[in-house]
Amino acid sequence: MDVKSAFLNGVLEEEVYVEHPLGYMRRGEEKTVLRLKKAFYDLKQAPRAWNERTNTYFEKNGYEQCPYEHALYIKKKGEYVIFIALYVDDLIFMGNNAELIEAFKEVMNKEFEIIFLCLMKYFLGLEVVQGKDDIFVS
């Protein structure tokens, strides 16, 4: 799944000011600046703000961050488990319970604007073949 406009979901912790974009300046306001409330893609704080937003979200919703791989989150519910890997603005998830996965997809779609992609075939140089009962990674 892909988070649409992910970096725009990051809330800035520090005060950041920018000049008016060209073509959007009003007469008499040539010397004013704009204070940003949220991050945008060209801002150097955007990745950190997005990462903080996702960390906070997962912690509040009962996910544990893996101590060895900080982009991996795990949630256990009895014998069921779901794994979520975050790579920039993409989420890869898997689990052993369809209801838990569907609930995750619903909640994420409410929290962020999500684009649900097809089954994964390639990711970071890995080829993934998903069958009915198995997954092959090479």
Side-chain angles (χ1 to χ4, degrees), residues 17-77:
Y17 295 90
V18 296
E19 294 178 350
H20 287 267
L22 293 175
Y24 291 96
M25 195 175 304
R26 294 181 189 163
R27 287 188 186 178
E29 295 182 4
E30 293 85 6
K31 295 186 181 190
T32 62
V33 293
L34 304 170
R35 179 175 177 216
L36 297 178
K37 293 182 180 180
K38 290 190 167 197
F40 62 89
Y41 279 88
D42 287 341
L43 192 65
K44 68 180 182 178
Q45 293 93 331
R48 185 170 30 92
W50 165 242
N51 193 288
E52 184 61 35
R53 173 90 159 82
T54 55
N55 278 336
T56 303
Y57 171 78
F58 284 129
E59 285 176 8
K60 284 183 180 178
N61 287 284
Y63 292 86
E64 293 181 33
Q65 188 176 29
C66 178
Y68 308 107
E69 177 54 61
H70 298 290
L72 179 64
Y73 298 88
I74 304 161
K75 184 175 186 177
K76 296 178 183 175
K77 206 172 192 181

Side-chain angles (χ1 to χ4, degrees), residues 1 3 9 53 57 61 102-116:
M1 97 176 34
V3 180
N9 286 297
R53 173 90 159 82
Y57 171 78
N61 287 284
E102 286 304 316
F104 168 72
K105 286 165 61 173
E106 269 185 46
V107 169
M108 286 302 291
N109 203 27
K110 287 179 186 173
E111 186 71 19
F112 306 105
E113 195 173 344
I114 300 292
I115 298 171
F116 293 102

Side-chain angles (χ1 to χ4, degrees), residues 129-136:
V129 179
Q130 299 183 45
K132 183 178 178 188
D133 298 321
D134 56 3
I135 299 173
F136 180 75

